Amino acid sequence: MDSEQRQHALALIQQALPDLDWTLQATKVKRLSRDFHWFSPVLKQQLEDKQADAVVRPRSEEELSLVVKACVQHQLPLILRGGATGNYGQLVPLEGGILVDMTGFNQICEYGNGVVRAQAGIRLAEIETLTRPAGWELRCMPSTYRLASLGGLYGGGFGGIGSINYGPLGAPGNVLSVKVMTMEAEPRILQVPAPQALLLHHAYGSNGIVLEVELALAPVHQWIERLDVFDDFTDALDYANAFARSPGLVKRQLALFAAPIPSWFSHLNGHYQASQHAVISVIAQESEGFCSPLLEKYRGHSAIRQPADEAREANASLMEYCWNHTTLHALKIDNSLTYLQTAFNCTNYRQQIIDMANLFGDEVISHIEFLRDNDGNITASGLQIVRYSTEERLNEVMATFRDHDVKINNPHVFQIEDGKQGEIKPDVVSVKKCLDPNGLLNPGKLRGWEVRDTLVLDNDPLLLTDK
């Protein structure tokens, strides 16, 4: 469908649904059609001219259902938007259409006994505002928790704060179920239990409209945030590794930053020297006494210490220097930088980190997040900062990591399979065929849909019950 046809269809839809909350001004539509894909110079160029034809903000499932019906009737693409903190062009429309702002779906639906069920548009920080006073917190959340939505995390997230204990969001037991709406002429609302619910995880909203997510929670501790510094990179790595592998130390977050990354944390300057390497940790108050002996052993020094609750209230949490917030802080200093996403081998990640740091020097600067994998093993993922020169050189760097048995989750591509998933997954495509038979949800992002006729697809990929 070309632009003129889409505009005609859009005019008919607006005429039929005049009471919905529409945004039509071109500059506002373009702004709302953006996420943080500009972290990648490759995606920034590829997606520069891509945007929706209109934005609508439904206030209820009934209004959303009307939009879905209209899009199916006119064969107009529909794309979902949450907090827009993703980094892969997750919400950027490739073929125009209607961008659905889900932030009106922002209610807690049910809560108790270590479980919460909430609407997809709620900000993650708002969930913890309710649950923390009752002794529970999220098991996994990105560093962008103040802005990121639950549906956005589910549609494009991986790991985050808490993953040192519970693994990534997709690890068994973290997600219990999702509620979805189908992209059909008569939309159905379905309840999908885990593990089938994970077939909609990290699919960019391309194979179902997630309305609610049910999560298992973690018990709250009195957390202390620390930033400790080291003159030697290997000392910093070994301190973080010992910290990560000490099962009795209760922690929520652990990240390593090679110099000069800590010097780019401009609000923290003055606490340490620009040449020093840093480890940011969030540790339970009852475990903090063990930090001093570890620091002494690995020749480290405490630079910042603060209670997490006070830091959060002041919007000064060290957690907002971790995960992909690190890249944001770096780009504020030098907008020519970009980043990688790597997954080290759980059996020898320490040596891999050292080898890659030695191999690339100042071209690829180590930012390492410690976490558990889906099997419970302590491991490390990299969000390395890269001094970008050309796309060709960036691809060479990623190829070198792969040659050294370090997996790349490519953040410089906009199709799902070319990034984290790494391959076409027929069961993920099967879900789209079941829930979005016309292929109208976020078209162009799921490469498997383009070759679906060559795949062996499951006709019943989900355990579906009408809700």
Side-chain angles (χ1 to χ4, degrees):
M1 184 182 293
D2 62 27
S3 177
E4 185 176 344
Q5 291 172 318
R6 295 199 310 270
Q7 289 299 326
H8 178 66
L10 178 60
L12 293 175
I13 293 172
Q14 288 176 261
Q15 186 177 12
L17 303 172
D19 295 331
L20 270 60
D21 183 4
W22 292 98
T23 297
L24 304 172
Q25 185 178 339
T27 54
K28 291 184 178 179
V29 171
K30 184 169 184 176
R31 177 177 58 82
L32 292 170
S33 299
R34 293 288 179 269
D35 56 14
F36 281 73
H37 68 275
W38 54 268
F39 279 17
S40 164
V42 179
L43 291 182
K44 183 178 180 181
Q45 181 179 18
Q46 291 177 340
L47 302 178
E48 179 62 29
D49 63 342
K50 307 297 184 184
Q51 67 179 77
D53 297 302
V55 178
V56 67
R57 187 175 185 268
R59 292 156 289 205
S60 66
E61 290 180 4
E62 291 73 23
E63 287 191 351
L64 177 58
S65 179
L66 291 174
V67 175
V68 168
K69 288 181 182 180
C71 284
V72 173
Q73 178 185 352
H74 295 280
Q75 292 295 285
L76 197 64
L78 184 149
I79 304 93
L80 304 172
R81 184 188 197 276
T85 60
N87 308 108
Y88 321 106
Q90 173 184 337
L91 66 80
V92 179
L94 299 179
E95 301 176 16
I98 294 178
L99 187 69
V100 177
D101 181 344
M102 292 292 289
T103 56
F105 292 78
N106 57 11
Q107 300 299 308
I108 299 287
C109 304
E110 189 175 356
Y111 164 62
N113 297 321
V115 175
V116 65
R117 182 167 55 86
Q119 291 182 311
I122 194 170
R123 291 182 176 180
L124 297 167
E126 294 173 3
I127 297 177
E128 288 212 329
T129 297
L130 171 72
T131 62
R132 286 183 63 82
W136 299 95
E137 64 189 14
L138 293 171
R139 289 186 176 186
C140 176
M141 65 180 187
S143 61
T144 53
Y145 59 88
R146 285 198 285 145
L147 298 176
S149 70
L150 176 58
L153 171 64
Y154 196 70
F158 164 65
I161 297 152
S163 291
I164 186 65
N165 295 320
Y166 297 97
L169 184 67
N174 289 334
V175 175
L176 304 179
S177 70
V178 296
K179 180 181 176 183
V180 299
M181 179 180 289
T182 64
M183 189 73 189
E184 299 175 297
E186 292 298 330
R188 296 172 291 154
I189 294 179
L190 308 166
Q191 195 73 28
V192 184
Q196 289 80 7
L198 292 173
L199 295 175
L200 292 103
H201 171 47
H202 208 90
Y204 298 2
S206 67
N207 66 349
I209 301 171
V210 174
L211 301 174
E212 298 172 5
V213 182
E214 183 184 22
L215 300 170
L217 299 171
V220 164
H221 291 265
Q222 294 300 312
W223 299 112
I224 303 296
E225 298 181 355
R226 299 177 58 98
L227 189 150
D228 299 299
V229 294
F230 304 79
D231 294 327
D232 180 80
F233 176 72
T234 304
D235 283 342
L237 171 59
D238 288 340
Y239 169 79
N241 192 37
F243 200 130
R245 303 185 74 83
S246 297
L249 298 186
V250 180
K251 56 259 183 189
R252 195 182 189 196
Q253 168 61 17
L254 186 62
L256 165 67
F257 309 90
I261 293 175
S263 70
W264 297 334
F265 299 160
S266 56
H267 290 88
L268 306 181
N269 285 345
H271 291 277
Y272 44 80
Q273 299 174 16
S275 61
Q276 290 182 304
H277 315 277
V279 173
I280 289 179
S281 60
V282 179
I283 187 168
Q285 191 173 50
E286 66 269 23
S287 293
E288 192 190 12
F290 293 91
C291 289
S292 292
L294 273 181
L295 274 178
E296 183 177 355
K297 180 177 180 180
Y298 295 107
R299 294 166 287 281
H301 304 277
S302 175
I304 298 174
R305 179 195 180 277
Q306 57 191 26
D309 288 344
E310 295 178 13
R312 189 181 293 209
E313 289 178 10
N315 291 331
S317 173
L318 294 179
M319 294 189 294
E320 293 186 73
Y321 292 87
C322 301
W323 293 90
N324 240 337
H325 248 93
T326 306
T327 312
L328 179 61
H329 288 291
L331 283 165
K332 287 180 179 179
I333 301 299
D334 182 350
N335 63 11
S336 70
L337 299 170
T338 188
Y339 74 118
L340 296 180
Q341 292 185 171
T342 61
F344 294 98
N345 192 311
C346 66
T347 59
N348 64 332
Y349 62 81
R350 177 188 178 275
Q351 191 59 50
Q352 285 182 321
I353 292 168
I354 292 172
D355 289 345
M356 302 314 291
N358 290 336
L359 183 61
F360 286 105
D362 197 47
E363 183 184 13
V364 181
I365 309 167
S366 293
H367 162 205
I368 309 297
E369 296 283 346
F370 292 83
L371 70 160
R372 292 186 182 273
D373 63 19
N374 279 5
D375 297 317
N377 303 304
I378 294 291
T379 189
S381 288
L383 288 160
Q384 294 90 341
I385 303 297
V386 179
R387 298 191 186 278
Y388 181 77
S389 55
T390 66
E391 183 178 356
E392 180 181 23
R393 175 57 183 161
L394 183 62
N395 288 329
E396 289 175 355
V397 168
M398 290 190 286
T400 301
F401 270 85
R402 294 188 184 103
D403 290 343
H404 285 76
D405 197 30
V406 180
K407 182 182 178 183
I408 291 285
N409 298 319
N410 191 348
H412 304 284
V413 292
F414 56 74
Q415 287 190 307
I416 297 159
E417 296 92 341
D418 297 332
K420 178 178 179 293
Q421 288 192 2
E423 61 182 358
I424 291 175
K425 296 187 175 182
D427 50 358
V428 174
V429 180
S430 291
V431 172
K432 185 172 179 68
K433 185 177 180 181
C434 177
L435 303 185
D436 177 27
N438 296 288
L440 296 175
L441 284 173
N442 212 356
K445 301 292 176 66
L446 187 65
R447 186 156 49 87
W449 184 251
E450 301 167 5
V451 296
R452 61 191 179 279
D453 293 338
T454 68
L455 304 174
V456 177
L457 301 180
D458 187 348
N459 291 324
D460 186 20
L462 306 174
L463 300 177
L464 300 176
T465 58
D466 290 336
K467 184 69 175 177

